[in-house]
Amino acid sequence: MSGRTPLRERVRQAMPATRSSRIIALNALVGSAGTGMFLAGSALYFTRFGGLSETELGLGLAIAGIVGLATTVPMGRLADRYGPRNLMLVVSVWRAVGYLAYLRVEGFTEFVVTASLLYIMDRSGQPLNQALVGRLITGPERNRTMAFIRSLRNVGFTAGFAVGGVALTSGSATAFQWLFVGNALSFLVIFVFITLLPKVEPVAARNKKAGVAPDTVVPPLRNWRFVAATAANGVLFLHDAILTIVLPLWVAEHTRSPIWMITVLITTNTIITVVAQVPVTKHIDSLASATRATTRSALLLSVACLAFAAGGVATSPWLAAAALMVALLVMTYGELLHSASSWEITFAMSPDAAQGRYIAFFNVGFSAAEIAGPAVVLWLIAQAGPAGWLVLAVCFPVAAAVSWLGTRQGPAEEPAADGPGPAAPATPAPVPATTGS
């Protein structure tokens, strides 16, 4: 009996270790639940009650996505100047007002303007959240917190979709509108939680006191290693498009698998992500370990693509279902590894004085994959069928090789002779979680 850990202690060890990490993780749960409710009914609302055709809805979202993508790095610069905590307070209020404003939209022009203004904040949410983690949390708990965020987001999305599904059974405009209101309220709750986080002096103010000029930081676009890692990880992020959009269409239209396998596969992925993301992240705590994890994840993603292709040529429904399940399990593990390695890469390669800017730049790779990925993968499959998966199976290891070029650790570089400042990104020194008031 003496060798057994008490249940209370085991529960404590399973939770985020600091007060800040617990608040940030809880924010992820609340925000994703609201977003899940919104996504469950938004498309139907705009086409039924907002005066948009399906084509106009798709075009409007594409325009808004481009606006959000273009403003991600400038928002990161603002985070460095004013602090991610302060900026996230503004973003939370902006998003709450923006989602309520959707209820007044009538027609294409109003939708594009509202969506574009909202996407500026929506696209900046993830990098700002990661920058906030980088400022408030140190050591292994930093990546562990990101893992909790991802796990709880899956829980929140699932809960939000479930609530949205119940609300949509009525089919009334009022039921749809309450989903928008619920999403807006979630961001007001997030605002309250953020005010409970420690206040951390913005990097720009700290540098000014220390006499460090802001132009000594190499911009991310001029840091070829970081650009390589960003581009490569944008390709690796295609697993997200595959699991959320491509998978249902592949199962339904290109395999002999029973149609209910779509639900089984997506549910399995969600459960594994919730349960396993934190344990998988445990041993990825340095740039070297993140580089190795990226390589392993790419190989797993390639194997999964081969299994998806096998599912498309299997002649038996049960053989097809088995191949798809193997593909799903392998891809999910690759996805977990890649998510954890990408967090560590951005933290390790971002200079302290420009952490918000670097994280935002890295997030552009994910956003580009999110916007263009589904179209690219679906086009490949439409043109080549199972052979399209073979193309993807080659792309992932190539992307990992490019990422390795950027993240591999070489001899330390000396500062440039004509002035101070690092020639390559340095490992940041985040502020401890107890700092601030």
Side-chain angles (χ1 to χ4, degrees):
M1 293 291 292
S2 60
R4 296 180 61 182
T5 305
L7 177 61
R8 184 176 179 181
E9 179 64 18
R10 280 184 285 170
V11 172
R12 189 191 67 79
Q13 292 175 355
M15 298 292 288
T18 69
R19 179 175 179 271
S20 292
S21 58
R22 288 191 289 271
I23 291 174
I24 294 172
L26 185 59
N27 266 349
L29 178 64
V30 173
S32 59
T35 301
M37 287 192 293
F38 170 76
L39 292 177
S42 59
L44 287 174
Y45 175 82
F46 288 125
T47 54
R48 289 185 182 181
F49 308 106
L52 299 177
S53 67
E54 292 182 4
T55 302
E56 287 175 330
L57 176 63
L59 178 60
L61 291 175
I63 293 171
I66 293 171
V67 172
L69 189 66
T71 54
T72 299
V73 175
M75 289 293 290
R77 291 181 66 93
L78 289 176
D80 290 331
R81 183 175 180 84
Y82 299 106
R85 178 187 180 276
N86 295 334
L87 195 57
M88 282 194 70
L89 291 172
V90 176
V91 168
S92 299
V93 174
W94 189 308
R95 295 174 86 176
V97 172
Y99 281 104
L100 290 177
Y102 266 146
L103 299 176
R104 306 296 298 175
V105 164
E106 294 182 4
F108 179 71
T109 301
E110 290 184 11
F111 175 75
V112 169
V113 172
T114 305
S116 295
L117 291 173
L118 191 52
Y119 264 50
I120 294 173
M121 301 301 165
D122 281 349
R123 289 294 176 187
S124 67
Q126 169 61 23
L128 284 177
N129 203 47
Q130 188 174 348
L132 186 64
V133 172
R135 286 280 163 238
L136 294 176
I137 301 166
T138 61
E141 182 62 20
R142 190 172 55 183
N143 246 21
R144 189 166 178 263
T145 300
M146 294 300 299
F148 273 107
I149 289 172
R150 189 161 191 267
S151 294
L152 290 176
R153 275 183 178 155
N154 276 271
V155 174
F157 276 127
T158 302
F161 268 103
V163 172
V166 172
L168 296 182
T169 55
S170 70
S172 68
T174 302
F176 283 91
Q177 289 166 349
W178 274 110
L179 298 178
F180 285 65
V181 173
N183 191 27
L185 289 175
S186 73
F187 289 109
L188 295 181
V189 173
I190 288 173
F191 176 90
V192 173
F193 281 141
I194 292 174
T195 63
L196 302 178
L197 292 171
K199 294 179 181 179
V200 179
E201 189 176 34
V203 174
R206 196 164 71 240
N207 285 347
K208 186 176 181 180
K209 288 182 179 179
V212 179
D215 58 357
T216 59
V217 176
V218 177
L221 192 59
R222 288 172 50 196
N223 184 332
W224 74 264
R225 289 186 174 181
F226 198 75
V227 171
T230 298
N233 280 276
V235 175
L236 292 170
F237 272 125
L238 287 175
H239 60 66
D240 192 65
I242 291 172
L243 289 169
T244 58
I245 296 175
V246 177
L247 175 60
L249 293 173
W250 177 252
V251 174
E253 304 294 337
H254 298 274
T255 76
R256 291 181 171 85
S257 169
I259 195 70
W260 46 260
M261 274 299 293
I262 296 174
T263 302
V264 172
L265 294 171
I266 293 176
T267 302
T268 301
N269 171 262
T270 301
I271 292 173
I272 293 175
T273 300
V274 170
V275 173
Q277 183 65 79
V278 174
V280 167
T281 306
K282 183 177 181 181
H283 301 293
I284 303 175
D285 55 3
S286 66
L287 188 57
S289 60
T291 301
R292 292 191 296 270
T294 299
T295 302
R296 291 198 300 271
S297 70
L299 295 176
L300 289 169
L301 295 176
S302 292
V303 172
C305 287
L306 298 178
F308 276 126
V313 299
T315 56
S316 162
W318 300 111
L319 283 177
L324 291 171
M325 180 55 74
V326 170
L328 185 281
L329 293 174
V330 175
M331 179 158 283
T332 299
Y333 186 46
E335 173 195 17
L336 298 179
L337 275 176
H338 176 241
S339 296
S341 67
S342 68
W343 301 325
E344 183 60 32
I345 286 171
T346 48
F347 283 134
M349 296 187 72
S350 301
D352 184 49
Q355 192 176 72
R357 201 186 328 171
Y358 267 68
I359 291 174
F361 184 85
F362 191 87
N363 197 69
V364 169
F366 168 74
S367 297
E370 190 177 43
I371 294 171
V376 171
V377 178
L378 289 173
W379 178 83
L380 264 177
I381 291 173
Q383 295 297 315
W389 290 106
L390 305 183
V391 176
L392 289 172
V394 173
C395 289
F396 288 126
V398 171
V402 174
S403 181
W404 178 84
L405 288 174
T407 60
R408 64 188 175 90
Q409 294 175 305
E413 297 182 28
E414 295 294 330
D418 56 352
T427 301
V431 181
T434 54
T435 299
S437 58

Coordinates of all heavy atoms in Angstrom, one line a residue, residues 19-20 23 26-27 85 89 136 189-199 433 437:
R19 N -0.9 27.7 -11.9 CA -2.2 28.4 -12.0 C -2.4 29.0 -13.4 O -3.5 28.9 -13.9 CB -2.3 29.5 -10.9 CG -3.6 30.3 -10.9 CD -3.6 31.3 -9.7 NE -4.8 32.1 -9.7 CZ -4.9 33.2 -10.3 NH1 -3.9 33.7 -11.0 NH2 -6.1 33.9 -10.2
S20 N -1.4 29.6 -13.9 CA -1.5 30.2 -15.2 C -1.8 29.1 -16.3 O -2.7 29.3 -17.2 CB -0.2 30.9 -15.6 OG 0.0 32.0 -14.8
I23 N -5.5 28.1 -16.1 CA -6.4 29.1 -16.6 C -6.4 29.1 -18.1 O -7.4 29.1 -18.8 CB -6.0 30.5 -16.1 CG1 -6.3 30.6 -14.6 CG2 -6.8 31.6 -16.8 CD1 -5.8 31.9 -13.9
L26 N -8.2 26.0 -19.4 CA -9.6 26.2 -19.3 C -10.2 27.1 -20.3 O -11.3 26.9 -20.9 CB -9.9 26.7 -17.9 CG -11.4 26.8 -17.5 CD1 -12.1 25.5 -17.6 CD2 -11.6 27.4 -16.1
N27 N -9.4 28.2 -20.7 CA -9.8 29.1 -21.7 C -10.0 28.3 -23.0 O -10.9 28.6 -23.8 CB -8.8 30.2 -21.9 CG -9.1 31.4 -21.1 OD1 -10.2 31.5 -20.6 ND2 -8.2 32.3 -21.0
R85 N -0.8 39.1 -23.4 CA -2.0 39.2 -22.4 C -2.9 40.4 -22.7 O -4.1 40.2 -22.8 CB -1.5 39.2 -21.0 CG -2.6 39.3 -19.9 CD -2.0 39.6 -18.6 NE -3.0 39.6 -17.5 CZ -3.6 40.8 -17.2 NH1 -3.4 41.9 -17.9 NH2 -4.5 40.7 -16.2
L89 N -6.9 40.4 -24.4 CA -8.1 41.0 -23.9 C -8.8 41.8 -24.9 O -10.1 41.7 -25.0 CB -7.7 42.0 -22.7 CG -7.1 41.4 -21.5 CD1 -6.6 42.4 -20.5 CD2 -8.2 40.6 -20.8
L136 N 4.4 33.2 -19.9 CA 4.0 32.9 -18.5 C 4.6 31.6 -17.9 O 4.6 31.4 -16.7 CB 2.5 32.9 -18.4 CG 1.8 34.3 -18.6 CD1 0.3 34.0 -18.6 CD2 2.2 35.3 -17.6
V189 N -16.3 35.2 -21.4 CA -15.8 34.3 -20.3 C -14.2 34.3 -20.3 O -13.5 34.4 -19.3 CB -16.4 32.9 -20.3 CG1 -15.7 32.0 -19.3 CG2 -17.9 33.0 -20.1
I190 N -13.7 34.1 -21.6 CA -12.3 34.1 -21.8 C -11.6 35.4 -21.3 O -10.6 35.4 -20.7 CB -11.9 33.8 -23.3 CG1 -12.3 32.3 -23.6 CG2 -10.5 34.1 -23.6 CD1 -12.1 32.0 -25.1
F191 N -12.3 36.5 -21.6 CA -11.8 37.8 -21.2 C -11.6 37.9 -19.7 O -10.6 38.3 -19.2 CB -12.8 38.9 -21.7 CG -12.4 40.3 -21.2 CD1 -11.6 41.1 -22.0 CD2 -12.9 40.8 -20.0 CE1 -11.3 42.4 -21.5 CE2 -12.5 42.1 -19.5 CZ -11.7 42.9 -20.3
V192 N -12.6 37.4 -19.0 CA -12.6 37.4 -17.5 C -11.4 36.5 -17.0 O -10.6 36.9 -16.1 CB -13.9 36.9 -16.9 CG1 -13.8 36.7 -15.4 CG2 -15.0 37.8 -17.3
F193 N -11.2 35.3 -17.6 CA -10.1 34.5 -17.2 C -8.8 35.1 -17.5 O -7.8 34.9 -16.7 CB -10.3 33.1 -17.9 CG -11.3 32.2 -17.3 CD1 -12.1 31.4 -18.1 CD2 -11.5 32.1 -15.9 CE1 -13.1 30.6 -17.5 CE2 -12.4 31.3 -15.3 CZ -13.2 30.5 -16.2
I194 N -8.6 35.8 -18.6 CA -7.3 36.4 -18.9 C -7.0 37.4 -17.9 O -5.8 37.6 -17.6 CB -7.4 37.0 -20.3 CG1 -7.5 35.8 -21.4 CG2 -6.1 37.8 -20.6 CD1 -7.7 36.3 -22.8
T195 N -8.0 38.2 -17.4 CA -7.7 39.2 -16.4 C -7.1 38.5 -15.1 O -6.5 39.2 -14.3 CB -8.9 40.0 -16.0 OG1 -9.9 39.1 -15.4 CG2 -9.5 40.7 -17.2
L196 N -7.3 37.2 -14.9 CA -6.8 36.6 -13.7 C -5.3 36.1 -13.9 O -4.7 35.7 -12.9 CB -7.6 35.3 -13.4 CG -9.1 35.6 -13.2 CD1 -9.8 34.2 -12.9 CD2 -9.3 36.5 -12.0
L197 N -4.8 36.2 -15.1 CA -3.4 35.8 -15.4 C -2.5 36.9 -14.9 O -2.8 38.1 -14.8 CB -3.2 35.6 -16.8 CG -3.9 34.4 -17.4 CD1 -3.8 34.4 -19.0 CD2 -3.3 33.1 -16.9
P198 N -1.2 36.5 -14.5 CA -0.2 37.5 -14.1 C 0.0 38.6 -15.2 O 0.0 38.3 -16.4 CB 1.0 36.7 -13.8 CG 0.5 35.3 -13.7 CD -0.7 35.2 -14.5
K199 N 0.3 39.8 -14.7 CA 0.7 40.8 -15.7 C 2.2 40.7 -16.0 O 3.0 40.7 -15.0 CB 0.3 42.2 -15.1 CG -1.2 42.5 -14.9 CD -1.5 43.8 -14.3 CE -2.9 44.0 -14.1 NZ -3.2 45.4 -13.5
A433 N 6.1 31.6 -14.3 CA 4.7 31.7 -14.1 C 4.3 32.5 -12.9 O 3.2 33.0 -12.8 CB 4.1 30.3 -14.0
S437 N 1.6 40.5 -11.1 CA 0.7 40.7 -10.0 C -0.7 40.1 -10.3 O -1.0 39.8 -11.5 CB 0.5 42.2 -9.8 OG 0.0 42.9 -10.9

